[in-house]
């Protein structure tokens, strides 16, 4: 089991907004990081420190964090956004990953 | 742009030691905390641990008894050894560059290398 809980799957239509949540006690006072992983590829950082986008990540990716829950939002989803998404936190000097959310663009 | 490349045997026998190396190119191994992460078939990500270029390490408690990481700054490489492997250690193993402040995250990942544990 994972200390960070994510919904296993989420389906949206192209152009809709996808919101992926990550919840758990470790997030109470910790920053959250998000990665996406396309099939057969390695994970890519898409959000760091709750709300920041690395260079090269489209503006449609955004993040928020309130209390024990962090949310990754993808506005105007595109087919290329279909991937597995993982949240991550740093707690007690260890990396925690969520179980991952498979985002399907219908 | 820094690049990471994992290398090592793709097949390891049960009870033996899995050994992997990550080579860092187009960047220095200094000043970052280098992680190993694995992903079992069809499963999520599991952090194994990190090593600083000075040799300081931090391991996942669930694997700590079997893991050793090392670094070779002259070759810009760091390595993972996982002892007494079983089929449960079959996974894709990734190396990644990590940033440690009051938090830790990984901003550059290797492509991963698949390791199967089987006799």
């Amino acid at each position: 089991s994972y200390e960070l809980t994510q919904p296993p799957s989420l389906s949206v239509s192209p152009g809709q907004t996808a919101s992926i949540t990550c919840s758990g006690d470790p997030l109470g006072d910790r920053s959250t990081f998000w990665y996406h992983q396309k099939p057969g590829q390695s994970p890519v950082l898409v959000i760091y420190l709750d709300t920041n986008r690395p260079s090269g990540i489209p503006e449609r990716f955004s993040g928020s964090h309130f209390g024990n829950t962090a949310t990754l939002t993808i506005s105007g989803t595109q087919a290329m956004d279909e991937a597995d998404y993982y949240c991550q936190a740093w707690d007690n000097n260890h990396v925690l990953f969520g179980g991952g959310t498979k985002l399907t663009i219908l | 742009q820094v690049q990471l490349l994992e290398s090592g045997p793709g097949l390891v026998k049960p009870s033996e030691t899995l050994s992997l190396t990550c080579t860092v190119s187009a960047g220095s191994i200094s000043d970052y905390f280098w992680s190993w992460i694995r992903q079992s078939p069809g499963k999520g990500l599991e952090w194994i641990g990190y090593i600083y270029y000075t040799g300081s390490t931090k391991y996942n408690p669930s694997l700590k008894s079997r893991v050793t990481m090392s670094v070779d700054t002259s070759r810009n490489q760091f390595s993972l050894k996982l002892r007494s492997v079983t089929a449960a250690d079959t996974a894709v193993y990734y190396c990644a560059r990590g940033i440690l402040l009051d938090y830790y995250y990984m901003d550059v990942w290797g492509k991963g290398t698949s390791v199967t544990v089987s006799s």
Side-chain angles (χ1 to χ4, degrees):
Chain A
S1 64
Y2 295 90
E3 293 186 56
L4 301 180
T5 301
Q6 298 181 235
S9 62
L10 177 66
S11 298
V12 298
S13 298
Q16 288 189 327
T17 296
S19 294
I20 300 171
T21 58
C22 174
S23 60
D25 289 344
L27 295 184
D29 58 354
R30 299 282 188 269
S31 294
T32 308
F33 306 86
W34 290 92
Y35 306 85
H36 75 186
Q37 183 181 32
K38 297 183 180 181
Q41 297 184 21
S42 54
V44 173
L45 180 71
V46 294
I47 293 289
Y48 66 99
L49 292 173
D50 297 328
T51 62
N52 297 277
R53 277 180 294 104
S55 173
I57 300 301
E59 290 184 8
R60 63 181 181 273
F61 287 84
S62 64
S64 62
H65 187 171
F66 298 99
N68 290 357
T69 300
T71 302
L72 172 69
T73 301
I74 310 169
S75 304
T77 54
Q78 300 181 11
M80 68 174 66
D81 299 328
E82 187 162 287
D84 293 327
Y85 289 81
Y86 295 92
C87 60
Q88 180 244 305
W90 177 244
D91 181 60
N92 196 24
N93 291 319
H94 298 112
V95 170
L96 300 177
F97 284 110
T101 298
K102 183 176 184 60
L103 176 64
T104 301
I105 312 299
L106 298 170
Chain B
Q1 170 73 348
V2 65
Q3 293 185 324
L4 309 181
L5 182 64
E6 304 90 347
S7 59
L11 181 64
V12 181
K13 290 182 168 55
S15 80
E16 296 191 343
T17 296
L18 178 160
S19 295
L20 298 175
T21 295
C22 182
T23 301
V24 180
S25 58
S28 173
I29 203 167
S30 301
D31 296 330
Y32 290 96
F33 293 75
W34 304 91
S35 269
W36 288 98
I37 306 96
R38 71 181 184 179
Q39 186 171 34
S40 300
K43 302 294 186 183
L45 302 171
E46 180 180 27
W47 179 70
I48 300 170
Y50 72 56
I51 185 165
Y52 193 41
Y53 78 102
T54 59
S56 173
T57 57
K58 184 71 70 176
Y59 300 143
N60 185 326
S62 68
L63 297 168
K64 185 177 181 178
S65 63
R66 298 194 291 132
V67 171
T68 301
M69 294 184 186
S70 59
V71 63
D72 185 341
T73 55
S74 66
R75 295 187 175 190
N76 246 26
Q77 293 178 334
F78 60 103
S79 298
L80 167 70
K81 289 188 185 299
L82 181 64
R83 295 177 293 278
S84 304
V85 297
T86 69
D89 296 308
T90 293
V92 174
Y93 286 76
Y94 298 98
C95 60
R97 186 177 77 173
I99 295 166
L100 177 65
L101 293 168
D102 290 335
Y103 44 81
Y104 178 82
Y105 67 102
M106 294 146 285
D107 67 339
V108 181
W109 294 60
K111 293 187 183 301
T113 187
S114 180
V115 178
T116 300
V117 178
S118 175
S119 55

